[in-house]
Amino acid sequence: MIGKRLRLKVILLMLATGLLAACAGAPVQEMSDARQAIQAARQAGAEHYSPDVLAQAQTLIEKAQQQLELGEFRRARDSALSAKRKALAARQEALEHHPPGKP
């Protein structure tokens, strides 16, 4: 009986540790998404129509990269998500000023 309880506790501890490790992993997808959003903003003309917001996005992705290199994965994820939001806002602002197909 004690052996089964101990075994169950060990299994639960291993599962919990695995879940925590998965959550704390490097934010590869978030970094990629942010970079793609920044590129899309540039292609939409954000450098001209929303330079300040685009610059904020660029600063945030650079900060995320530094945090990633320091192993600060949670902070890097947060910075990358913020960079993506800023880039999407810059893209939207650019598109409002210069819709696609407009000369």
Side-chain angles (χ1 to χ4, degrees):
M1 183 66 98
I2 293 175
K4 287 183 180 181
R5 285 185 185 166
L6 180 60
R7 198 172 323 147
L8 180 60
K9 287 180 182 179
V10 169
I11 290 171
L12 289 174
L13 181 61
M14 290 172 59
L15 286 173
T17 302
L19 288 173
L20 286 174
C23 291
V28 176
Q29 187 63 52
E30 291 86 349
M31 298 288 287
S32 176
D33 290 348
R35 287 187 184 105
Q36 289 177 21
I38 290 169
Q39 184 60 32
R42 283 194 177 106
Q43 290 173 347
E47 289 175 312
H48 180 70
Y49 296 104
S50 187
D52 294 339
V53 179
L54 182 61
Q56 291 170 5
Q58 187 62 47
T59 298
L60 283 163
I61 196 63
E62 290 168 5
K63 180 179 178 182
Q65 184 62 44
Q66 292 169 349
Q67 291 165 330
L68 182 65
E69 290 168 5
L70 293 172
E72 298 174 353
F73 296 151
R74 184 166 288 136
R75 288 182 177 167
R77 177 176 284 110
D78 291 343
S79 294
L81 291 172
S82 294
K84 179 182 175 184
R85 281 191 295 272
K86 290 287 185 182
L88 291 174
R91 180 180 180 274
Q92 184 61 38
E93 191 173 329
L95 290 174
E96 288 171 3
H97 286 92
H98 187 73
K102 182 181 174 185

PDB file of all heavy atoms in Angstrom, residues 43-82:
ATOM      1  N   GLN A  43       5.956  45.950 -44.764  1.00  0.00           N
ATOM      2  CA  GLN A  43       5.421  45.789 -46.116  1.00  0.00           C
ATOM      3  C   GLN A  43       4.172  46.620 -46.343  1.00  0.00           C
ATOM      4  O   GLN A  43       3.888  47.028 -47.464  1.00  0.00           O
ATOM      5  CB  GLN A  43       5.147  44.313 -46.402  1.00  0.00           C
ATOM      6  CG  GLN A  43       6.413  43.492 -46.531  1.00  0.00           C
ATOM      7  CD  GLN A  43       6.149  42.003 -46.655  1.00  0.00           C
ATOM      8  OE1 GLN A  43       5.041  41.525 -46.418  1.00  0.00           O
ATOM      9  NE2 GLN A  43       7.179  41.260 -47.010  1.00  0.00           N
ATOM     10  N   ALA A  44       3.430  46.887 -45.267  1.00  0.00           N
ATOM     11  CA  ALA A  44       2.216  47.703 -45.372  1.00  0.00           C
ATOM     12  C   ALA A  44       2.528  49.201 -45.361  1.00  0.00           C
ATOM     13  O   ALA A  44       1.627  50.015 -45.536  1.00  0.00           O
ATOM     14  CB  ALA A  44       1.257  47.356 -44.237  1.00  0.00           C
ATOM     15  N   GLY A  45       3.791  49.537 -45.126  1.00  0.00           N
ATOM     16  CA  GLY A  45       4.168  50.940 -45.134  1.00  0.00           C
ATOM     17  C   GLY A  45       4.243  51.586 -43.768  1.00  0.00           C
ATOM     18  O   GLY A  45       4.225  52.810 -43.646  1.00  0.00           O
ATOM     19  N   ALA A  46       4.347  50.786 -42.731  1.00  0.00           N
ATOM     20  CA  ALA A  46       4.372  51.316 -41.369  1.00  0.00           C
ATOM     21  C   ALA A  46       5.581  52.207 -41.103  1.00  0.00           C
ATOM     22  O   ALA A  46       5.509  53.108 -40.265  1.00  0.00           O
ATOM     23  CB  ALA A  46       4.322  50.179 -40.353  1.00  0.00           C
ATOM     24  N   GLU A  47       6.669  51.990 -41.816  1.00  0.00           N
ATOM     25  CA  GLU A  47       7.840  52.855 -41.623  1.00  0.00           C
ATOM     26  C   GLU A  47       7.500  54.303 -41.976  1.00  0.00           C
ATOM     27  O   GLU A  47       8.061  55.234 -41.401  1.00  0.00           O
ATOM     28  CB  GLU A  47       9.020  52.356 -42.453  1.00  0.00           C
ATOM     29  CG  GLU A  47       9.609  51.071 -41.904  1.00  0.00           C
ATOM     30  CD  GLU A  47      10.699  50.496 -42.781  1.00  0.00           C
ATOM     31  OE1 GLU A  47      10.487  50.388 -44.006  1.00  0.00           O
ATOM     32  OE2 GLU A  47      11.754  50.161 -42.225  1.00  0.00           O
ATOM     33  N   HIS A  48       6.571  54.470 -42.890  1.00  0.00           N
ATOM     34  CA  HIS A  48       6.169  55.813 -43.313  1.00  0.00           C
ATOM     35  C   HIS A  48       4.946  56.308 -42.537  1.00  0.00           C
ATOM     36  O   HIS A  48       4.892  57.462 -42.130  1.00  0.00           O
ATOM     37  CB  HIS A  48       5.866  55.819 -44.812  1.00  0.00           C
ATOM     38  CG  HIS A  48       5.451  57.150 -45.338  1.00  0.00           C
ATOM     39  ND1 HIS A  48       6.323  58.219 -45.449  1.00  0.00           N
ATOM     40  CD2 HIS A  48       4.252  57.596 -45.775  1.00  0.00           C
ATOM     41  CE1 HIS A  48       5.669  59.262 -45.913  1.00  0.00           C
ATOM     42  NE2 HIS A  48       4.416  58.914 -46.134  1.00  0.00           N
ATOM     43  N   TYR A  49       3.940  55.431 -42.347  1.00  0.00           N
ATOM     44  CA  TYR A  49       2.665  55.845 -41.774  1.00  0.00           C
ATOM     45  C   TYR A  49       2.550  55.658 -40.263  1.00  0.00           C
ATOM     46  O   TYR A  49       1.684  56.260 -39.638  1.00  0.00           O
ATOM     47  CB  TYR A  49       1.515  55.101 -42.469  1.00  0.00           C
ATOM     48  CG  TYR A  49       1.399  55.447 -43.921  1.00  0.00           C
ATOM     49  CD1 TYR A  49       1.846  54.574 -44.897  1.00  0.00           C
ATOM     50  CD2 TYR A  49       0.876  56.667 -44.317  1.00  0.00           C
ATOM     51  CE1 TYR A  49       1.752  54.899 -46.235  1.00  0.00           C
ATOM     52  CE2 TYR A  49       0.781  57.007 -45.663  1.00  0.00           C
ATOM     53  CZ  TYR A  49       1.220  56.115 -46.615  1.00  0.00           C
ATOM     54  OH  TYR A  49       1.140  56.450 -47.938  1.00  0.00           O
ATOM     55  N   SER A  50       3.390  54.832 -39.678  1.00  0.00           N
ATOM     56  CA  SER A  50       3.335  54.573 -38.237  1.00  0.00           C
ATOM     57  C   SER A  50       4.731  54.256 -37.695  1.00  0.00           C
ATOM     58  O   SER A  50       4.952  53.217 -37.068  1.00  0.00           O
ATOM     59  CB  SER A  50       2.376  53.407 -37.969  1.00  0.00           C
ATOM     60  OG  SER A  50       2.173  53.244 -36.603  1.00  0.00           O
ATOM     61  N   PRO A  51       5.694  55.151 -37.927  1.00  0.00           N
ATOM     62  CA  PRO A  51       7.080  54.841 -37.560  1.00  0.00           C
ATOM     63  C   PRO A  51       7.318  54.663 -36.059  1.00  0.00           C
ATOM     64  O   PRO A  51       8.126  53.830 -35.667  1.00  0.00           O
ATOM     65  CB  PRO A  51       7.869  56.031 -38.110  1.00  0.00           C
ATOM     66  CG  PRO A  51       6.880  57.143 -38.198  1.00  0.00           C
ATOM     67  CD  PRO A  51       5.566  56.483 -38.517  1.00  0.00           C
ATOM     68  N   ASP A  52       6.599  55.429 -35.240  1.00  0.00           N
ATOM     69  CA  ASP A  52       6.818  55.332 -33.793  1.00  0.00           C
ATOM     70  C   ASP A  52       6.369  53.981 -33.240  1.00  0.00           C
ATOM     71  O   ASP A  52       7.076  53.349 -32.452  1.00  0.00           O
ATOM     72  CB  ASP A  52       6.106  56.463 -33.050  1.00  0.00           C
ATOM     73  CG  ASP A  52       6.697  57.824 -33.371  1.00  0.00           C
ATOM     74  OD1 ASP A  52       7.861  57.888 -33.828  1.00  0.00           O
ATOM     75  OD2 ASP A  52       5.985  58.835 -33.178  1.00  0.00           O
ATOM     76  N   VAL A  53       5.207  53.539 -33.676  1.00  0.00           N
ATOM     77  CA  VAL A  53       4.688  52.254 -33.189  1.00  0.00           C
ATOM     78  C   VAL A  53       5.543  51.108 -33.720  1.00  0.00           C
ATOM     79  O   VAL A  53       5.845  50.155 -32.997  1.00  0.00           O
ATOM     80  CB  VAL A  53       3.199  52.082 -33.562  1.00  0.00           C
ATOM     81  CG1 VAL A  53       2.667  50.745 -33.069  1.00  0.00           C
ATOM     82  CG2 VAL A  53       2.377  53.225 -32.976  1.00  0.00           C
ATOM     83  N   LEU A  54       5.963  51.210 -34.963  1.00  0.00           N
ATOM     84  CA  LEU A  54       6.845  50.190 -35.531  1.00  0.00           C
ATOM     85  C   LEU A  54       8.171  50.150 -34.781  1.00  0.00           C
ATOM     86  O   LEU A  54       8.691  49.069 -34.498  1.00  0.00           O
ATOM     87  CB  LEU A  54       7.080  50.442 -37.021  1.00  0.00           C
ATOM     88  CG  LEU A  54       7.950  49.416 -37.735  1.00  0.00           C
ATOM     89  CD1 LEU A  54       7.332  48.021 -37.672  1.00  0.00           C
ATOM     90  CD2 LEU A  54       8.183  49.831 -39.174  1.00  0.00           C
ATOM     91  N   ALA A  55       8.699  51.317 -34.439  1.00  0.00           N
ATOM     92  CA  ALA A  55       9.952  51.370 -33.673  1.00  0.00           C
ATOM     93  C   ALA A  55       9.779  50.727 -32.295  1.00  0.00           C
ATOM     94  O   ALA A  55      10.684  50.045 -31.811  1.00  0.00           O
ATOM     95  CB  ALA A  55      10.418  52.816 -33.528  1.00  0.00           C
ATOM     96  N   GLN A  56       8.623  50.915 -31.688  1.00  0.00           N
ATOM     97  CA  GLN A  56       8.351  50.270 -30.396  1.00  0.00           C
ATOM     98  C   GLN A  56       8.342  48.749 -30.544  1.00  0.00           C
ATOM     99  O   GLN A  56       8.884  48.030 -29.697  1.00  0.00           O
ATOM    100  CB  GLN A  56       7.022  50.751 -29.825  1.00  0.00           C
ATOM    101  CG  GLN A  56       7.033  52.200 -29.389  1.00  0.00           C
ATOM    102  CD  GLN A  56       5.642  52.711 -29.044  1.00  0.00           C
ATOM    103  OE1 GLN A  56       4.665  51.974 -29.046  1.00  0.00           O
ATOM    104  NE2 GLN A  56       5.562  54.007 -28.755  1.00  0.00           N
ATOM    105  N   ALA A  57       7.735  48.274 -31.618  1.00  0.00           N
ATOM    106  CA  ALA A  57       7.708  46.832 -31.875  1.00  0.00           C
ATOM    107  C   ALA A  57       9.120  46.298 -32.063  1.00  0.00           C
ATOM    108  O   ALA A  57       9.478  45.246 -31.520  1.00  0.00           O
ATOM    109  CB  ALA A  57       6.853  46.526 -33.107  1.00  0.00           C
ATOM    110  N   GLN A  58       9.934  47.024 -32.809  1.00  0.00           N
ATOM    111  CA  GLN A  58      11.314  46.604 -33.049  1.00  0.00           C
ATOM    112  C   GLN A  58      12.110  46.579 -31.743  1.00  0.00           C
ATOM    113  O   GLN A  58      12.869  45.646 -31.486  1.00  0.00           O
ATOM    114  CB  GLN A  58      11.981  47.535 -34.067  1.00  0.00           C
ATOM    115  CG  GLN A  58      13.351  47.077 -34.489  1.00  0.00           C
ATOM    116  CD  GLN A  58      13.342  45.724 -35.174  1.00  0.00           C
ATOM    117  OE1 GLN A  58      12.525  45.470 -36.055  1.00  0.00           O
ATOM    118  NE2 GLN A  58      14.232  44.834 -34.782  1.00  0.00           N
ATOM    119  N   THR A  59      11.920  47.586 -30.915  1.00  0.00           N
ATOM    120  CA  THR A  59      12.611  47.634 -29.622  1.00  0.00           C
ATOM    121  C   THR A  59      12.196  46.456 -28.744  1.00  0.00           C
ATOM    122  O   THR A  59      13.036  45.834 -28.087  1.00  0.00           O
ATOM    123  CB  THR A  59      12.304  48.969 -28.903  1.00  0.00           C
ATOM    124  OG1 THR A  59      12.802  50.043 -29.706  1.00  0.00           O
ATOM    125  CG2 THR A  59      12.935  49.027 -27.535  1.00  0.00           C
ATOM    126  N   LEU A  60      10.920  46.146 -28.757  1.00  0.00           N
ATOM    127  CA  LEU A  60      10.425  45.027 -27.937  1.00  0.00           C
ATOM    128  C   LEU A  60      10.964  43.684 -28.413  1.00  0.00           C
ATOM    129  O   LEU A  60      11.305  42.831 -27.592  1.00  0.00           O
ATOM    130  CB  LEU A  60       8.889  45.025 -27.938  1.00  0.00           C
ATOM    131  CG  LEU A  60       8.249  46.067 -27.034  1.00  0.00           C
ATOM    132  CD1 LEU A  60       6.776  46.274 -27.403  1.00  0.00           C
ATOM    133  CD2 LEU A  60       8.389  45.655 -25.572  1.00  0.00           C
ATOM    134  N   ILE A  61      11.063  43.475 -29.741  1.00  0.00           N
ATOM    135  CA  ILE A  61      11.586  42.192 -30.215  1.00  0.00           C
ATOM    136  C   ILE A  61      13.073  42.080 -29.910  1.00  0.00           C
ATOM    137  O   ILE A  61      13.580  40.992 -29.605  1.00  0.00           O
ATOM    138  CB  ILE A  61      11.265  41.926 -31.709  1.00  0.00           C
ATOM    139  CG1 ILE A  61      11.476  40.442 -32.062  1.00  0.00           C
ATOM    140  CG2 ILE A  61      12.081  42.795 -32.623  1.00  0.00           C
ATOM    141  CD1 ILE A  61      10.591  39.474 -31.349  1.00  0.00           C
ATOM    142  N   GLU A  62      13.785  43.187 -29.955  1.00  0.00           N
ATOM    143  CA  GLU A  62      15.202  43.174 -29.577  1.00  0.00           C
ATOM    144  C   GLU A  62      15.353  42.865 -28.083  1.00  0.00           C
ATOM    145  O   GLU A  62      16.241  42.100 -27.687  1.00  0.00           O
ATOM    146  CB  GLU A  62      15.848  44.515 -29.924  1.00  0.00           C
ATOM    147  CG  GLU A  62      15.997  44.720 -31.424  1.00  0.00           C
ATOM    148  CD  GLU A  62      16.355  46.138 -31.814  1.00  0.00           C
ATOM    149  OE1 GLU A  62      16.583  46.985 -30.912  1.00  0.00           O
ATOM    150  OE2 GLU A  62      16.410  46.413 -33.028  1.00  0.00           O
ATOM    151  N   LYS A  63      14.473  43.437 -27.273  1.00  0.00           N
ATOM    152  CA  LYS A  63      14.475  43.155 -25.835  1.00  0.00           C
ATOM    153  C   LYS A  63      14.172  41.669 -25.591  1.00  0.00           C
ATOM    154  O   LYS A  63      14.819  41.019 -24.771  1.00  0.00           O
ATOM    155  CB  LYS A  63      13.429  44.029 -25.151  1.00  0.00           C
ATOM    156  CG  LYS A  63      13.310  43.843 -23.661  1.00  0.00           C
ATOM    157  CD  LYS A  63      12.247  44.787 -23.101  1.00  0.00           C
ATOM    158  CE  LYS A  63      12.059  44.597 -21.618  1.00  0.00           C
ATOM    159  NZ  LYS A  63      10.987  45.482 -21.101  1.00  0.00           N
ATOM    160  N   ALA A  64      13.206  41.149 -26.326  1.00  0.00           N
ATOM    161  CA  ALA A  64      12.852  39.732 -26.204  1.00  0.00           C
ATOM    162  C   ALA A  64      14.043  38.846 -26.552  1.00  0.00           C
ATOM    163  O   ALA A  64      14.299  37.834 -25.884  1.00  0.00           O
ATOM    164  CB  ALA A  64      11.657  39.401 -27.099  1.00  0.00           C
ATOM    165  N   GLN A  65      14.778  39.223 -27.587  1.00  0.00           N
ATOM    166  CA  GLN A  65      15.959  38.444 -27.985  1.00  0.00           C
ATOM    167  C   GLN A  65      17.006  38.440 -26.875  1.00  0.00           C
ATOM    168  O   GLN A  65      17.594  37.407 -26.573  1.00  0.00           O
ATOM    169  CB  GLN A  65      16.551  39.002 -29.284  1.00  0.00           C
ATOM    170  CG  GLN A  65      17.720  38.204 -29.817  1.00  0.00           C
ATOM    171  CD  GLN A  65      17.342  36.784 -30.182  1.00  0.00           C
ATOM    172  OE1 GLN A  65      16.311  36.543 -30.799  1.00  0.00           O
ATOM    173  NE2 GLN A  65      18.172  35.826 -29.803  1.00  0.00           N
ATOM    174  N   GLN A  66      17.233  39.585 -26.270  1.00  0.00           N
ATOM    175  CA  GLN A  66      18.190  39.671 -25.166  1.00  0.00           C
ATOM    176  C   GLN A  66      17.734  38.815 -23.987  1.00  0.00           C
ATOM    177  O   GLN A  66      18.533  38.099 -23.375  1.00  0.00           O
ATOM    178  CB  GLN A  66      18.365  41.124 -24.712  1.00  0.00           C
ATOM    179  CG  GLN A  66      19.057  41.993 -25.734  1.00  0.00           C
ATOM    180  CD  GLN A  66      18.992  43.470 -25.391  1.00  0.00           C
ATOM    181  OE1 GLN A  66      18.265  43.896 -24.501  1.00  0.00           O
ATOM    182  NE2 GLN A  66      19.767  44.273 -26.117  1.00  0.00           N
ATOM    183  N   GLN A  67      16.452  38.878 -23.677  1.00  0.00           N
ATOM    184  CA  GLN A  67      15.911  38.083 -22.571  1.00  0.00           C
ATOM    185  C   GLN A  67      16.030  36.595 -22.873  1.00  0.00           C
ATOM    186  O   GLN A  67      16.354  35.797 -21.988  1.00  0.00           O
ATOM    187  CB  GLN A  67      14.454  38.478 -22.312  1.00  0.00           C
ATOM    188  CG  GLN A  67      14.328  39.871 -21.735  1.00  0.00           C
ATOM    189  CD  GLN A  67      12.920  40.418 -21.805  1.00  0.00           C
ATOM    190  OE1 GLN A  67      12.143  40.091 -22.709  1.00  0.00           O
ATOM    191  NE2 GLN A  67      12.581  41.278 -20.856  1.00  0.00           N
ATOM    192  N   LEU A  68      15.789  36.230 -24.115  1.00  0.00           N
ATOM    193  CA  LEU A  68      15.924  34.838 -24.530  1.00  0.00           C
ATOM    194  C   LEU A  68      17.350  34.351 -24.319  1.00  0.00           C
ATOM    195  O   LEU A  68      17.576  33.263 -23.785  1.00  0.00           O
ATOM    196  CB  LEU A  68      15.517  34.703 -25.996  1.00  0.00           C
ATOM    197  CG  LEU A  68      15.535  33.312 -26.604  1.00  0.00           C
ATOM    198  CD1 LEU A  68      14.486  32.438 -25.933  1.00  0.00           C
ATOM    199  CD2 LEU A  68      15.269  33.394 -28.094  1.00  0.00           C
ATOM    200  N   GLU A  69      18.309  35.172 -24.715  1.00  0.00           N
ATOM    201  CA  GLU A  69      19.719  34.804 -24.565  1.00  0.00           C
ATOM    202  C   GLU A  69      20.129  34.666 -23.098  1.00  0.00           C
ATOM    203  O   GLU A  69      21.044  33.909 -22.777  1.00  0.00           O
ATOM    204  CB  GLU A  69      20.592  35.837 -25.274  1.00  0.00           C
ATOM    205  CG  GLU A  69      20.457  35.764 -26.786  1.00  0.00           C
ATOM    206  CD  GLU A  69      21.082  36.941 -27.512  1.00  0.00           C
ATOM    207  OE1 GLU A  69      21.715  37.802 -26.863  1.00  0.00           O
ATOM    208  OE2 GLU A  69      20.921  37.007 -28.753  1.00  0.00           O
ATOM    209  N   LEU A  70      19.435  35.391 -22.216  1.00  0.00           N
ATOM    210  CA  LEU A  70      19.710  35.302 -20.775  1.00  0.00           C
ATOM    211  C   LEU A  70      18.930  34.171 -20.101  1.00  0.00           C
ATOM    212  O   LEU A  70      19.059  33.966 -18.900  1.00  0.00           O
ATOM    213  CB  LEU A  70      19.368  36.634 -20.095  1.00  0.00           C
ATOM    214  CG  LEU A  70      20.245  37.824 -20.475  1.00  0.00           C
ATOM    215  CD1 LEU A  70      19.675  39.109 -19.888  1.00  0.00           C
ATOM    216  CD2 LEU A  70      21.682  37.600 -20.002  1.00  0.00           C
ATOM    217  N   GLY A  71      18.112  33.474 -20.891  1.00  0.00           N
ATOM    218  CA  GLY A  71      17.322  32.381 -20.334  1.00  0.00           C
ATOM    219  C   GLY A  71      16.068  32.844 -19.615  1.00  0.00           C
ATOM    220  O   GLY A  71      15.424  32.062 -18.922  1.00  0.00           O
ATOM    221  N   GLU A  72      15.697  34.088 -19.801  1.00  0.00           N
ATOM    222  CA  GLU A  72      14.493  34.648 -19.179  1.00  0.00           C
ATOM    223  C   GLU A  72      13.312  34.413 -20.119  1.00  0.00           C
ATOM    224  O   GLU A  72      12.781  35.334 -20.739  1.00  0.00           O
ATOM    225  CB  GLU A  72      14.693  36.136 -18.895  1.00  0.00           C
ATOM    226  CG  GLU A  72      15.812  36.415 -17.919  1.00  0.00           C
ATOM    227  CD  GLU A  72      16.101  37.891 -17.745  1.00  0.00           C
ATOM    228  OE1 GLU A  72      15.528  38.734 -18.472  1.00  0.00           O
ATOM    229  OE2 GLU A  72      16.922  38.208 -16.862  1.00  0.00           O
ATOM    230  N   PHE A  73      12.916  33.152 -20.216  1.00  0.00           N
ATOM    231  CA  PHE A  73      11.941  32.749 -21.222  1.00  0.00           C
ATOM    232  C   PHE A  73      10.575  33.391 -21.032  1.00  0.00           C
ATOM    233  O   PHE A  73       9.924  33.775 -22.000  1.00  0.00           O
ATOM    234  CB  PHE A  73      11.808  31.237 -21.273  1.00  0.00           C
ATOM    235  CG  PHE A  73      13.077  30.535 -21.697  1.00  0.00           C
ATOM    236  CD1 PHE A  73      13.350  29.262 -21.260  1.00  0.00           C
ATOM    237  CD2 PHE A  73      13.991  31.158 -22.527  1.00  0.00           C
ATOM    238  CE1 PHE A  73      14.516  28.607 -21.650  1.00  0.00           C
ATOM    239  CE2 PHE A  73      15.159  30.522 -22.927  1.00  0.00           C
ATOM    240  CZ  PHE A  73      15.414  29.232 -22.489  1.00  0.00           C
ATOM    241  N   ARG A  74      10.099  33.488 -19.809  1.00  0.00           N
ATOM    242  CA  ARG A  74       8.775  34.073 -19.581  1.00  0.00           C
ATOM    243  C   ARG A  74       8.778  35.545 -19.992  1.00  0.00           C
ATOM    244  O   ARG A  74       7.861  36.023 -20.646  1.00  0.00           O
ATOM    245  CB  ARG A  74       8.366  33.916 -18.117  1.00  0.00           C
ATOM    246  CG  ARG A  74       6.955  34.434 -17.852  1.00  0.00           C
ATOM    247  CD  ARG A  74       6.410  33.997 -16.525  1.00  0.00           C
ATOM    248  NE  ARG A  74       6.101  32.575 -16.600  1.00  0.00           N
ATOM    249  CZ  ARG A  74       6.394  31.688 -15.652  1.00  0.00           C
ATOM    250  NH1 ARG A  74       6.987  32.058 -14.552  1.00  0.00           N
ATOM    251  NH2 ARG A  74       6.063  30.415 -15.792  1.00  0.00           N
ATOM    252  N   ARG A  75       9.826  36.270 -19.594  1.00  0.00           N
ATOM    253  CA  ARG A  75       9.924  37.681 -19.971  1.00  0.00           C
ATOM    254  C   ARG A  75      10.085  37.838 -21.483  1.00  0.00           C
ATOM    255  O   ARG A  75       9.514  38.739 -22.094  1.00  0.00           O
ATOM    256  CB  ARG A  75      11.080  38.354 -19.247  1.00  0.00           C
ATOM    257  CG  ARG A  75      10.806  38.566 -17.782  1.00  0.00           C
ATOM    258  CD  ARG A  75      11.945  39.276 -17.118  1.00  0.00           C
ATOM    259  NE  ARG A  75      11.616  39.525 -15.726  1.00  0.00           N
ATOM    260  CZ  ARG A  75      12.483  39.902 -14.832  1.00  0.00           C
ATOM    261  NH1 ARG A  75      13.750  40.095 -15.165  1.00  0.00           N
ATOM    262  NH2 ARG A  75      12.114  40.114 -13.580  1.00  0.00           N
ATOM    263  N   ALA A  76      10.860  36.954 -22.087  1.00  0.00           N
ATOM    264  CA  ALA A  76      11.041  36.990 -23.538  1.00  0.00           C
ATOM    265  C   ALA A  76       9.713  36.759 -24.243  1.00  0.00           C
ATOM    266  O   ALA A  76       9.399  37.433 -25.234  1.00  0.00           O
ATOM    267  CB  ALA A  76      12.066  35.945 -23.976  1.00  0.00           C
ATOM    268  N   ARG A  77       8.930  35.819 -23.733  1.00  0.00           N
ATOM    269  CA  ARG A  77       7.610  35.545 -24.322  1.00  0.00           C
ATOM    270  C   ARG A  77       6.728  36.787 -24.219  1.00  0.00           C
ATOM    271  O   ARG A  77       6.092  37.194 -25.195  1.00  0.00           O
ATOM    272  CB  ARG A  77       6.956  34.360 -23.613  1.00  0.00           C
ATOM    273  CG  ARG A  77       5.558  34.044 -24.117  1.00  0.00           C
ATOM    274  CD  ARG A  77       4.967  32.797 -23.473  1.00  0.00           C
ATOM    275  NE  ARG A  77       5.597  31.623 -24.068  1.00  0.00           N
ATOM    276  CZ  ARG A  77       6.454  30.817 -23.434  1.00  0.00           C
ATOM    277  NH1 ARG A  77       6.784  31.042 -22.187  1.00  0.00           N
ATOM    278  NH2 ARG A  77       6.982  29.784 -24.047  1.00  0.00           N
ATOM    279  N   ASP A  78       6.701  37.406 -23.043  1.00  0.00           N
ATOM    280  CA  ASP A  78       5.874  38.603 -22.853  1.00  0.00           C
ATOM    281  C   ASP A  78       6.307  39.731 -23.792  1.00  0.00           C
ATOM    282  O   ASP A  78       5.473  40.400 -24.391  1.00  0.00           O
ATOM    283  CB  ASP A  78       5.939  39.078 -21.398  1.00  0.00           C
ATOM    284  CG  ASP A  78       5.246  38.127 -20.432  1.00  0.00           C
ATOM    285  OD1 ASP A  78       4.446  37.278 -20.883  1.00  0.00           O
ATOM    286  OD2 ASP A  78       5.511  38.236 -19.217  1.00  0.00           O
ATOM    287  N   SER A  79       7.608  39.936 -23.910  1.00  0.00           N
ATOM    288  CA  SER A  79       8.119  40.993 -24.795  1.00  0.00           C
ATOM    289  C   SER A  79       7.792  40.694 -26.253  1.00  0.00           C
ATOM    290  O   SER A  79       7.429  41.587 -27.017  1.00  0.00           O
ATOM    291  CB  SER A  79       9.626  41.163 -24.606  1.00  0.00           C
ATOM    292  OG  SER A  79       9.916  41.652 -23.308  1.00  0.00           O
ATOM    293  N   ALA A  80       7.914  39.425 -26.649  1.00  0.00           N
ATOM    294  CA  ALA A  80       7.604  39.045 -28.026  1.00  0.00           C
ATOM    295  C   ALA A  80       6.124  39.252 -28.324  1.00  0.00           C
ATOM    296  O   ALA A  80       5.763  39.744 -29.400  1.00  0.00           O
ATOM    297  CB  ALA A  80       8.003  37.593 -28.285  1.00  0.00           C
ATOM    298  N   LEU A  81       5.270  38.906 -27.378  1.00  0.00           N
ATOM    299  CA  LEU A  81       3.835  39.115 -27.577  1.00  0.00           C
ATOM    300  C   LEU A  81       3.507  40.600 -27.671  1.00  0.00           C
ATOM    301  O   LEU A  81       2.683  41.014 -28.490  1.00  0.00           O
ATOM    302  CB  LEU A  81       3.042  38.458 -26.446  1.00  0.00           C
ATOM    303  CG  LEU A  81       3.056  36.928 -26.432  1.00  0.00           C
ATOM    304  CD1 LEU A  81       2.403  36.402 -25.167  1.00  0.00           C
ATOM    305  CD2 LEU A  81       2.382  36.360 -27.673  1.00  0.00           C
ATOM    306  N   SER A  82       4.162  41.410 -26.860  1.00  0.00           N
ATOM    307  CA  SER A  82       3.967  42.865 -26.927  1.00  0.00           C
ATOM    308  C   SER A  82       4.469  43.409 -28.260  1.00  0.00           C
ATOM    309  O   SER A  82       3.827  44.282 -28.864  1.00  0.00           O
ATOM    310  CB  SER A  82       4.696  43.556 -25.772  1.00  0.00           C
ATOM    311  OG  SER A  82       4.114  43.197 -24.540  1.00  0.00           O
TER     312      SER A  82
END
